[in-house]
Amino acid sequence: MAQSSEAQERRGAREADAAVQHELAASEPADEPRSAGPGAAEGGAPASGAAGEEGRDEGDAGAGGEAPSAPLESLSLRDGPIPHAPIPPVAAPWRSYKEILANLAQRVLEAQRPLRILQALRWEADVEEQFLRSKQRELPRVTYSDDLGFDPEAKRREIEEILRDAERELGKRDRLGQILRATADEYRKVVSMLLGRGTKAFYTLSRELYGSPKDKLPDGKTSVRDMGFVLYDLLTAIGGERLGPPQQREITAAMAALELNARFDRFFGGASIRVQVDDSLLADAAAGSDYVKIRSGAMFSKSDVDILEAHEGWVHVATSLNGQAQPVARWLAKGPPRTTAVQEGLAVLVEILTFRSTPRRAKKLNDRILAVDKAEDGASFLDVFEWYRTEGYEEEECFQNARRVFRGGVLAGGAPFTKDACYCKGIVLNYAFMRAAIQHDRAMLIPFLFVGKVAHEDVPVLHAHVTDGIVRPPPYLPPMFDDMNGLAIWICYSSFFSRLGGTAIAEHYGRMLEH
């Protein structure tokens, strides 16, 4: 088949480039080590980081030459021949590692944009009305719209193309590429999960993405549900105590929005954060990239507003803004399911560290673990609703709490939405991460839990790329993470108290107080 003159010119340019590269390679002294290419180190030994154990296989190079590596991961201070520039694509300039990574990250952001998980799982307002009319004796009748706001098959193909391009352009073992691909792959699974709403297939993918109360913690022994039962006993024992002045819920949604707008103006400075009342919201509050929504008709106490400031603003909004500030690692602005435990655990931990949480609040979060666990074991919506009522919740709260567990799942039991098991698990894992970072003299990693939406295993990798400009430190941090002296001493003494035999000593004073 005849080729156009333009195609012939491109082919000639490629052949000329290849000939030049061959001549230059042949001219290098045989006893001189080649210069540090991607993953090379002094003396030809594998470099640490992405090289060596994280080095690329032979098939990992992108089209047109070897895949670019992260700047500092290919750095060598050894003198050697000047490395060759990467062969550029036909009729296009060469691209740096940062450009390739930023382009892929932007594609991931664009691909996930229409994936609105909670919106796809929401129940219409008349579902609660029907349930109440049945005297809480019939399962709610729930239907989900067939229109997810995107074409599922086209969306999966789009994400699969990103995954292929990321592996081809960055290589299988590039550490930032692995995070980006794990993120994109979870968005692909989210599409499948949403297609399975109302079936056991939804639960199977929910458990894969968010975990389960049956999952073991990193000690390999304690399950999330084990932790939930311990906290249940502790929090139930203090739930009836009068620990402070009664908190009256007399602050309207509009008043809460006004107060939070003023507080966020002080915390975020120049960033424009909107707090607005929303009449379509199911939860009392929800945070977005640069906004917080408050449910119209909800009433709040002063303590509730304090919690919203720390939980929604200092963590969820702050990590969104910190992720948006990234010039290269742009995927950090949005949170796939793999980041949920860190996000929700951080938000609740900040409540605890600022003395804003209460036994009632902590019990509500912990009860979510037990509710999901019951539903996994076959409890129906009616069973979980009734369990919440026996725990002392108001009727409206019982419905809202049970709905969180069963949205998207099977109302007859056995297949819930497992996201709510992440909250208390996240508290434990974040505390353990911080304690380990301080003990191993890596406290500088802790603020990077706020650099965007991250999983724990991402943090050391992201921190390593501050020097080369791929990752920017988080501009917005809660006060105790901006100066971690107080956090360090709190962790130190919490460890000290646990080793001291606190139970025996507490029992001594317990006997004293009985007289």
Side-chain angles (χ1 to χ4, degrees), residues 14-57:
R14 285 199 302 271
E15 293 173 347
D17 283 343
V20 170
Q21 299 284 10
H22 179 75
E23 290 176 11
L24 287 172
S27 68
E28 292 179 357
D31 58 349
E32 184 78 13
R34 292 180 62 99
S35 65
E42 293 186 18
S48 62
E53 182 179 74
E54 302 286 40
R56 293 183 179 79
D57 294 328

Side-chain angles (χ1 to χ4, degrees), residues 115-277:
L115 305 184
R116 304 177 64 188
I117 297 175
L118 299 186
Q119 178 67 24
L121 303 183
R122 70 187 304 271
W123 294 4
E124 297 300 331
D126 60 358
V127 173
E128 183 176 6
E129 296 172 5
Q130 166 264 315
F131 179 72
L132 295 177
R133 284 198 302 270
S134 75
K135 306 295 185 185
Q136 302 96 40
R137 295 173 183 169
E138 299 176 7
L139 290 175
R141 291 191 289 271
V142 180
T143 57
Y144 299 101
S145 171
D146 292 333
D147 183 11
L148 289 168
F150 60 90
D151 180 340
E153 290 306 317
K155 182 58 63 180
R156 281 198 285 222
R157 289 194 299 270
E158 177 188 359
I159 296 174
E160 286 166 0
E161 184 177 358
I162 295 171
L163 288 166
R164 286 194 298 270
D165 289 347
E167 184 174 314
R168 175 173 54 83
E169 296 182 8
L170 296 175
K172 292 180 181 179
R173 298 189 180 182
D174 182 273
R175 294 184 298 172
L176 290 172
Q178 289 172 344
I179 296 173
L180 183 143
R181 295 203 327 270
T183 297
D185 188 50
E186 286 211 339
Y187 288 135
R188 178 174 60 175
K189 292 176 181 176
V190 164
V191 174
S192 298
M193 183 183 75
L194 295 181
L195 285 173
R197 291 169 300 171
T199 72
K200 289 188 175 180
F202 173 88
Y203 160 69
T204 300
L205 281 162
S206 169
R207 181 168 183 169
E208 181 179 347
L209 290 167
Y210 293 101
S212 158
K214 311 294 194 294
D215 293 343
K216 294 289 192 293
L217 296 174
D219 65 359
K221 301 176 182 178
T222 309
S223 69
V224 176
R225 73 194 294 264
D226 292 339
M227 178 190 70
F229 286 128
V230 171
L231 279 172
Y232 176 84
D233 289 340
L234 291 172
L235 294 170
T236 301
I238 64 172
E241 292 288 331
R242 184 177 180 276
L243 301 173
Q247 290 280 335
Q248 300 296 328
R249 284 184 167 79
E250 51 191 16
I251 301 174
T252 65
M255 293 165 62
L258 192 65
E259 174 62 23
L260 288 172
N261 270 317
R263 296 189 189 188
F264 291 159
D265 281 345
R266 292 191 293 270
F267 181 81
F268 291 105
S272 177
I273 308 301
R274 309 182 313 277
V275 183
Q276 55 199 39
V277 178

Side-chain angles (χ1 to χ4, degrees), residues 232-493:
Y232 176 84
D233 289 340
L234 291 172
L235 294 170
T236 301
I238 64 172
E241 292 288 331
R242 184 177 180 276
L243 301 173
Q247 290 280 335
Q248 300 296 328
R249 284 184 167 79
E250 51 191 16
I251 301 174
T252 65
M255 293 165 62
L258 192 65
E259 174 62 23
L260 288 172
N261 270 317
R263 296 189 189 188
F264 291 159
D265 281 345
R266 292 191 293 270
F267 181 81
F268 291 105
S272 177
I273 308 301
R274 309 182 313 277
V275 183
Q276 55 199 39
V277 178
D278 190 319
D279 59 5
S280 65
L281 205 61
L282 297 180
D284 283 346
S289 56
D290 59 355
Y291 64 84
V292 172
K293 292 182 178 180
I294 296 179
R295 180 168 62 88
S296 175
M299 299 295 291
F300 302 91
S301 66
K302 181 182 179 301
S303 174
D304 294 333
V305 175
D306 291 341
I307 288 172
L308 289 175
E309 177 187 16
H311 187 111
E312 307 293 349
W314 292 3
V315 178
H316 292 326
V317 174
T319 51
S320 292
L321 294 180
N322 292 341
Q324 291 172 29
Q326 300 300 323
V328 179
R330 298 169 182 167
W331 71 85
L332 294 175
K334 297 295 181 181
R338 64 189 294 272
T339 69
T340 302
V342 172
Q343 271 290 296
E344 299 300 350
L346 274 181
V348 180
L349 193 56
V350 169
E351 296 176 26
I352 295 170
L353 290 171
T354 54
F355 283 15
R356 298 179 184 220
S357 192
T358 64
R360 184 181 184 277
R361 164 72 171 168
K363 186 176 186 308
K364 180 178 180 179
L365 296 177
N366 188 66
D367 284 347
R368 292 176 181 176
I369 294 177
L370 305 182
V372 172
D373 185 64
K374 288 172 71 69
E376 277 190 325
D377 288 345
S380 70
F381 180 93
L382 296 176
D383 297 328
V384 173
F385 177 91
E386 186 59 30
W387 175 73
Y388 269 116
R389 183 148 52 189
T390 63
E391 291 298 319
Y393 291 88
E394 299 294 330
E395 190 171 87
E396 182 182 3
E397 285 184 299
C398 294
F399 182 85
Q400 292 174 354
N401 293 339
R403 176 176 55 191
R404 291 182 64 99
V405 174
F406 286 90
R407 50 188 169 171
V410 177
L411 275 70
F417 185 37
T418 60
K419 175 178 179 286
D420 275 354
C422 288
Y423 286 76
C424 291
K425 177 176 73 173
I427 299 172
V428 172
L429 297 183
N430 279 314
Y431 170 80
F433 179 93
M434 294 174 192
R435 178 176 169 179
I438 290 172
Q439 288 178 336
H440 291 271
D441 198 23
R442 301 294 304 280
M444 77 289 290
L445 296 180
I446 295 175
F448 279 76
L449 292 168
F450 295 87
V451 77
K453 312 298 185 181
V454 301
H456 286 125
E457 60 268 25
D458 302 346
V459 174
V461 180
L462 296 169
H463 181 266
H465 285 285
V466 171
T467 306
D468 57 20
I470 291 174
V471 176
R472 288 183 179 174
Y476 300 111
L477 287 170
M480 74 289 299
F481 294 98
D482 196 25
D483 179 347
M484 292 185 291
N485 280 287
L487 177 67
I489 200 65
W490 182 77
I491 289 176
C492 176
Y493 268 96

